Amino acid sequence: MVNPVYMCDRHLLGEHVEIHMLVSSIGMGRNIGGFLERKLVDPSSALRRHEEIVGEMLKRGFRHTSPLRGVERIQHLLVSNPLDAEANLTELLSRCQRCRQRYREVRSLCPSGQAHRP
Ligand SMILES: [Zn+2]
Ligand SMILES: [Zn+2]
């Protein structure tokens, strides 16, 4: 999963919505195969990921008013294909010009990226 610091606002908010959708889908007993096939979300780390993303949202001045419910129901799920953060970042940067621009800005402020890691 991509470090949220590098994501543009649109992708940041988009992934946030997807985590909420994933968790509520599972809570309602829906099949999440589609999410897993597209490797969009790793259910076993959805809670941690949600916190990372909300942290970045708050830094950018967005508000978070919707608590994530039902996480305990997905904690037991494991992903057979672990997500590849580097590959995801490369793909995101190749698809979104705003992410690319943000990535360059962040890296130029802090070339190692270390200060931004959780
Ligand atoms: Zn949320
Ligand atoms: Zn983007």
Side-chain angles (χ1 to χ4, degrees):
M1 298 196 172
V2 176
N3 185 336
V5 170
Y6 298 144
M7 297 164 80
C8 70
D9 290 352
R10 192 169 61 91
H11 274 115
L12 185 72
L13 297 177
E15 187 173 335
H16 176 244
V17 167
E18 281 190 332
I19 292 177
H20 276 265
M21 280 169 41
L22 173 80
V23 171
S24 71
S25 298
I26 298 170
M28 290 184 284
R30 293 217 189 104
N31 192 319
I32 57 157
F35 279 102
L36 298 182
E37 270 161 36
R38 288 185 287 151
K39 296 197 195 174
L40 289 173
V41 198
D42 173 356
S44 62
S45 61
L47 179 59
R48 192 172 51 83
R49 182 66 178 167
H50 179 259
E51 280 169 3
E52 272 178 27
I53 288 185
V54 169
E56 184 63 24
M57 281 167 56
L58 297 178
K59 268 195 254 168
R60 295 188 200 181
F62 294 109
R63 293 199 308 177
H64 185 258
T65 53
S66 48
L68 193 62
R69 295 184 205 282
V71 172
E72 65 284 352
R73 280 189 286 252
I74 65 173
Q75 297 289 26
H76 64 288
L77 292 171
L78 294 173
V79 173
S80 50
N81 288 323
L83 298 166
D84 181 339
E86 281 297 315
N88 278 3
L89 178 61
T90 305
E91 163 141 3
L92 186 67
L93 297 181
S94 75
R95 285 199 327 231
C96 178
Q97 201 240 328
R98 275 179 252 170
C99 281
R100 268 202 307 280
Q101 188 176 350
R102 181 167 174 85
Y103 180 75
R104 273 193 234 111
E105 284 168 10
V106 172
R107 298 296 286 207
S108 67
L109 292 173
C110 177
S112 71
Q114 292 308 311
H116 298 290
R117 297 206 177 270

